[in-house]
Amino acid sequence: MLADPVKPNSFPYSLCISAIKDLETLVEVAAQHYYGDDKKWNFIAVTEATKVLVRLALFRNSGYKMLLHGGETPNIEKHLGFPSSQHNGGGFQKHGAHRGSNGQNPWNLEGRALCALSRFGENARMGSDPVWLHGVQHKQAIMEPPPQMIERPSLSMILSEKGVQGALFLMGEVLFITRPLIYVLLIRKYGIRSWIPWFLSLAVDTIGAGFLTQVTKSRDYHLTASEQDELKRRKLLWALYLMRDPFFSKYTRQRLQSTEKLLEPVPIIGLLTAKIVELVAGAQTRYTYMSGS
């Protein structure tokens, strides 16, 4: 029982995720305009749920590799944490195929000879003996070993081979994928001014990052350069918690206003500071600008 062979993604997951993120801003603005500040969270929750489903599908289809930039960048580097196995269908090289004195494989030589003979018969339109021609082609298919296929790590393979480390990696990625949806659902229930969504979202991020950090400390797991950059990017996204309510309303806004008043007498710099504070305060009111999803 082999795992699924690696195949190129037929579905454009990265493009779909980017389109949903761009559409989410429009959905938030339209929902707020037509349904108000409270009911807009229903529509935002639907878009976040859609992103979660697409990202989980991409996570599974990629062989449970770490998502780069939320799935917008394909993770195509060789993954050292879960090495792929190769299977030789014919088994000739694996079990020691018989070779001639010149080092060539007689099976391949005979296969090429049969292939040349088959093409010659087709070009000459030897229709008088189709049974013989079919037999040559059938024998050629038997003699030539099938192409090698690289298996994609499955969920059971990761859990069986990596054990606790594999389970921690999977849980860390799933928490990262589902965190925005959990945050929106909590806001929908408790309100944007409540500390419960803020603290629980931060807890989910902290636990997920802790799982991934624990996995990377293992000697059996090695991150690629892109995955190391992705972990750094995710930690930088934690700065957005300073811009989310109720922390922004309680602390960050006061710091920005005091800085604006301090620099207001300074020519040019005071004017630029006032414009920056105004832009930051306006962007903070939009969930999609501060979601980090």
Side-chain angles (χ1 to χ4, degrees):
M1 295 175 56
L2 303 178
D4 297 333
V6 173
K7 299 179 181 178
N9 292 335
S10 58
F11 185 79
Y13 289 101
S14 300
L15 180 61
C16 183
I17 293 173
S18 300
I20 295 175
K21 291 182 65 175
D22 294 337
L23 182 62
E24 189 175 23
T25 304
L26 178 61
V27 170
E28 180 182 5
V29 173
Q32 184 176 4
H33 178 74
Y34 290 103
Y35 297 96
D37 293 336
D38 295 334
K39 293 185 178 180
K40 76 173 184 179
W41 296 107
N42 297 330
F43 298 90
I44 297 177
V46 172
T47 56
E48 287 292 355
T50 305
K51 283 194 295 185
V52 168
L53 293 177
V54 175
R55 283 169 174 166
L56 288 176
L58 173 60
F59 185 47
R60 179 183 180 277
N61 190 269
S62 64
Y64 300 97
K65 290 183 177 181
M66 182 181 294
L67 298 186
L68 305 180
H69 294 86
E72 294 185 85
T73 302
N75 190 351
I76 58 177
E77 293 187 28
K78 183 178 180 182
H79 200 277
L80 301 178
F82 305 121
S84 301
S85 304
Q86 293 184 354
H87 297 271
N88 191 336
F92 299 111
Q93 299 295 333
K94 184 176 181 180
H95 299 288
H98 300 286
R99 295 183 178 271
S101 59
N102 57 356
Q104 295 181 346
N105 193 337
W107 295 102
N108 295 334
L109 292 176
E110 185 175 355
R112 287 196 292 268
L114 292 174
C115 182
L117 183 60
S118 176
R119 287 197 299 268
F120 174 80
E122 181 178 0
N123 295 333
R125 296 182 179 179
M126 299 172 61
S128 58
D129 193 7
V131 178
W132 173 82
L133 183 59
H134 177 71
V136 171
Q137 295 175 347
H138 180 66
K139 187 176 181 181
Q140 173 192 349
I142 296 177
M143 301 304 294
E144 289 185 351
Q148 293 184 352
M149 301 184 68
I150 302 176
E151 66 180 23
R152 179 179 59 196
S154 62
L155 182 61
S156 59
M157 180 187 301
I158 294 176
L159 293 177
S160 61
E161 293 183 359
K162 297 301 178 180
V164 177
Q165 301 298 330
L168 291 177
F169 171 78
L170 293 174
M171 288 189 295
E173 279 298 295
V174 171
L175 287 176
F176 170 75
I177 293 173
T178 58
R179 197 276 312 165
L181 178 59
I182 296 173
Y183 180 58
V184 171
L185 293 178
L186 291 174
I187 291 178
R188 181 173 172 268
K189 181 177 181 180
Y190 296 102
I192 190 65
R193 301 296 180 181
S194 175
W195 284 98
I196 295 179
W198 193 91
F199 275 115
L200 290 182
S201 178
L202 180 60
V204 171
D205 266 338
T206 305
I207 294 173
F211 286 161
L212 294 178
T213 302
Q214 184 66 29
V215 171
T216 55
K217 292 180 180 179
S218 174
R219 296 181 180 179
D220 298 332
Y221 192 93
H222 303 280
L223 293 178
T224 63
S226 299
E227 291 173 342
Q228 292 176 357
D229 294 338
E230 172 64 18
L231 288 182
K232 295 178 182 178
R233 187 191 71 88
R234 295 182 184 182
K235 292 180 180 180
L236 290 177
L237 290 177
W238 289 11
L240 291 175
Y241 281 98
L242 302 178
M243 303 300 298
R244 296 171 186 164
D245 282 328
F247 191 93
F248 180 83
S249 300
K250 295 287 186 180
Y251 304 103
T252 308
R253 185 191 297 274
Q254 297 177 1
R255 295 294 182 181
L256 292 176
Q257 291 176 349
S258 61
T259 303
E260 180 184 0
K261 292 180 180 180
L262 179 64
L263 298 177
E264 184 178 3
V266 182
I268 301 178
I269 297 179
L271 179 61
L272 293 177
T273 303
K275 292 297 182 181
I276 292 174
V277 172
E278 182 181 356
L279 291 175
V280 170
Q284 189 273 337
T285 59
R286 298 296 179 193
Y287 162 80
T288 51
Y289 294 159
M290 302 297 165
S291 64
S293 64

